Amino acid sequence: MIKVITYGTFDMLHYGHIRLLERAKALGDYLIVGITSDDYDKTRGKINNHQSLMERITAVKATGLADEILVEEYEGQKIDDIRRLGADIFTVGSDWVGYFDYLNEYCKVIYLPRTEGISSTEVRAEKRKLRIGLVGTAAFRTKFINEAKYVNGVEVVGIYEARQPSEPEEDSLFYTDNYDELLEKVDAVYILSKPELHYEHTKKALSVGKHVLCESPIACTGKQCGELYDLARQRGLILMDAIKTAYSTAYERLLLMAKGGKIGRVVSIDAVCTSLRDSVMSEWNSMCSWAPAAMLPVFQFFGVNYRDRIFFTMFQDRQKNIDAYTKIDFVYDTGVASVKVAQGAKAEGELIITGTKGYIYVPAPWWKTDYFEVRFENPEDNKRFFYQLDGEGIRYEIVAFSKAVESGKDMNYVSRGISEAIAGVIGDFNERKGLIEIGAAAK
Ligand code: C2G
């Protein structure tokens, strides 16, 4: 019996894939098909898959061409599989010519002519692109524009800001100082204006039927934030909180490990986010710049019903509500949390989750990490984890947003409850509720 093995993503299965599988099958008597896992595809830069692994497996199975299906999860697995399963022939489309010659050491390698004129990318592209408009000026606007280029089915088409930019980021983008004009030309907006404008910019977009991806805080009180989520739901629109940390695979996995009891019972979470910069110029104070990301692990692990919360703040400019440094202590029934955020001070930007059996350590900059460690009393038991993170997580955030818009289902990377809780903390800070001032303000 001649065993043939082939691999692929097989997203949005089309006749190019099927013809490959038919010819692969004809090379022998038994066809094994390896289908790439979502994680492995992310690692190799394929972030636009529309279908989950299970959907892709089901589609390949339905062709009746595969005698056996396996999941490809890591670089180099092909060698393991070929040896373990005794494959006689490895085959793949001619777009990979030369790439798999190294497998000749283990079995015969055959490249089959690729079917021209069809690809998963083209199938995905047939869907109308989601036109996104950017609202406001912020340092990371350019990052968003560049990251969106990696996402199929999405295009940034224009920018609204009160004053015309000195030099546009891209000639292809239209610029306007009229928000209504931008809203007429887009399907969705990404809001990165100064925090106190988020509520009105979001409300206006939702009111005219546009989906919203908004930098956190979405509003400056929990009540206003809830009102916006209600409006989005009533209008059948997506409102998503753009905390890029939530879209980092490493961050997601470390949280699952903490929840799964890997380090015992979690008693405290300590998060530090600092970056020395001119808050006044950027119009974002330390709290708005960093507290949403810093509070995310606290709220996602301990929840939002804390017993007590205290701010310790050193102001840079009290009148302008610019804090140079703020420490927030949360007290829960089952643990405590401390969040330190600063643009007028510098500290190690790490995240530590303390447990009764060990702890999770995420080195700086933890809020865009691809790496973390699980550490125990005996260092020999320590484990290290790495998960690819391209573009600081922004492109995955855009993928999640476009999928939510297409499916009409919020993927809940940042839940409504957490979004509201973040807005509530910002609101309490602005009203100085439970705030102890430290140090003398500059003025
Ligand atoms: N294919 C084809 N004709 C097309 C499109 C794809 O023959 N028009 C072939 C590809 O060459 C590949 C298989 O169909 O052999 C699956 O294609 P993809 O799902 O795009 O998989 P790919 O990313 O090419 O993964 O380790 C991964 C695999 O080796 C290939």
Side-chain angles (χ1 to χ4, degrees), residues 277-339:
R277 63 175 155 215
D278 180 345
S279 307
V280 177
M281 210 275 284
S282 77
E283 298 174 324
W284 288 62
N285 62 15
S286 301
M287 273 295 290
C288 286
S289 291
W290 289 114
M295 292 191 287
L296 191 64
V298 177
F299 289 160
Q300 286 185 323
F301 187 84
F302 282 128
V304 297
N305 299 315
Y306 43 84
R307 268 196 355 230
D308 198 0
R309 179 209 59 223
I310 305 175
F311 298 103
F312 297 93
T313 295
M314 179 173 78
F315 283 100
Q316 180 182 332
D317 183 328
R318 201 182 295 106
Q319 272 60 44
K320 288 185 178 157
N321 195 33
I322 300 283
D323 58 322
Y325 171 93
T326 293
K327 176 175 185 282
I328 314 173
D329 282 347
F330 293 94
V331 180
Y332 289 83
D333 291 338
T334 56
V336 291
S338 160
V339 154

Side-chain angles (χ1 to χ4, degrees), residues 3-4 6 25 30-34 60 65-70 84-85:
K3 278 189 171 183
V4 181
T6 187
K25 177 96 179 183
Y30 186 89
L31 177 61
I32 303 161
V33 180
V60 169
L65 293 163
D67 297 293
E68 186 177 343
I69 286 179
L70 57 85
R84 180 168 55 83
L85 299 168

Side-chain angles (χ1 to χ4, degrees), residues 6-11 14-20 23 36 40-41 44 46 72 78 90-96 100 112-120 122:
T6 187
Y7 293 80
T9 300
F10 300 105
D11 189 40
H14 54 67
Y15 65 85
H17 295 140
I18 293 170
R19 288 195 64 240
L20 186 287
R23 287 173 291 156
T36 48
Y40 181 50
D41 268 336
R44 64 194 194 114
K46 286 186 98 167
E72 184 179 29
K78 294 181 173 73
F90 165 85
T91 186
V92 74
S94 54
D95 43 322
W96 293 90
F100 294 108
L112 296 168
R114 178 184 170 81
T115 304
E116 291 318 317
I118 180 81
S119 73
S120 303
E122 284 158 324

Side-chain angles (χ1 to χ4, degrees), residues 335-348:
V336 291
S338 160
V339 154
K340 293 170 189 158
V341 294
Q343 295 184 138
K346 195 73 196 141
E348 189 63 17

